[in-house]
Amino acid sequence: MSPQQITSENFQSYGQVIYATSDGKAYDATAAQLVLQNGIPRFYIMSLAHKGYKFHMLTRHVKCTQCLGSLGGKDWLIAVAPPTNTVYPVLAEIAAFQIPGNCFIKLDVGTWHAGPYFDDQFIDFYNLELIDTNTHDHDSYNFANDNWELEIARPNRLI
């Protein structure tokens, strides 16, 4: 699948794109609409290594939103599918996005996702979720069970 440049409009089915605003700007619909009341929030920096662009697993979190962004202005990619009422994402609805290093994304509750993916050897990402998201709110679907492997077509140059 070919990644598309992320915009607030084309990412609406999956969550929000959050850009810098002036200090003191009043809270409005452009601010991250967080769902973190189902546990204790956890904000941390995770260091991820380059892992290529192929994947077979998508994951979702049904108790909270998740915010991701790269440190150091690094550009990256993510694959997403809209939330579903089933135990699997809809294959035809999986999309890939290029995310510039000057924003972060907020994934809506239940948004299926794989990544981040990037060209660098490693990138540090900030992550906002719940303290038990990775142990108690981590539904995954493995497309390898259906003999599917997916790949994000690497752009010539990220953004």
Side-chain angles (χ1 to χ4, degrees):
M1 72 190 70
S2 294
Q4 53 190 304
Q5 287 280 356
I6 197 166
T7 66
S8 294
E9 292 75 27
N10 69 10
F11 199 69
Q12 271 184 331
S13 297
Y14 318 102
Q16 290 177 273
V17 184
I18 308 298
Y19 296 98
T21 62
S22 60
D23 187 28
K25 181 179 185 263
Y27 180 82
D28 64 12
T30 64
Q33 307 294 304
L34 303 174
V35 175
L36 297 170
Q37 71 270 17
N38 293 318
I40 299 169
R42 177 184 183 203
F43 179 76
Y44 65 103
I45 297 173
M46 59 184 183
S47 188
L48 299 179
H50 175 76
K51 57 185 172 185
Y53 297 93
K54 293 181 181 180
F55 63 97
H56 52 82
M57 187 94 60
L58 271 81
T59 298
R60 68 177 171 181
H61 312 300
V62 297
K63 289 184 183 177
C64 68
T65 54
Q66 181 179 17
C67 294
L68 293 167
S70 68
L71 276 70
K74 302 282 187 165
D75 301 334
W76 54 289
L77 304 166
I78 193 166
V80 291
T84 61
N85 291 327
T86 61
V87 296
Y88 55 87
V90 177
L91 182 62
E93 294 181 356
I94 299 172
F97 291 92
Q98 291 187 44
I99 302 163
N102 68 341
C103 68
F104 70 88
I105 60 169
K106 188 257 339 191
L107 297 173
D108 284 341
V109 172
T111 295
W112 295 94
H113 57 283
Y117 300 98
F118 45 86
D119 287 336
D120 295 63
Q121 187 176 357
F122 73 91
I123 295 181
D124 291 336
F125 287 84
Y126 57 85
N127 189 355
L128 175 62
E129 56 191 12
L130 299 178
I131 62 170
D132 63 350
T133 295
N134 289 322
T135 56
H136 291 93
D137 187 22
H138 202 263
D139 283 345
S140 294
Y141 185 79
N142 189 346
F143 280 101
N145 293 334
D146 304 320
N147 295 316
W148 282 94
E149 181 175 64
L150 305 161
E151 183 173 13
I152 298 174
R154 185 181 164 276
N156 290 336
R157 182 176 83 70
L158 283 179
I159 313 211

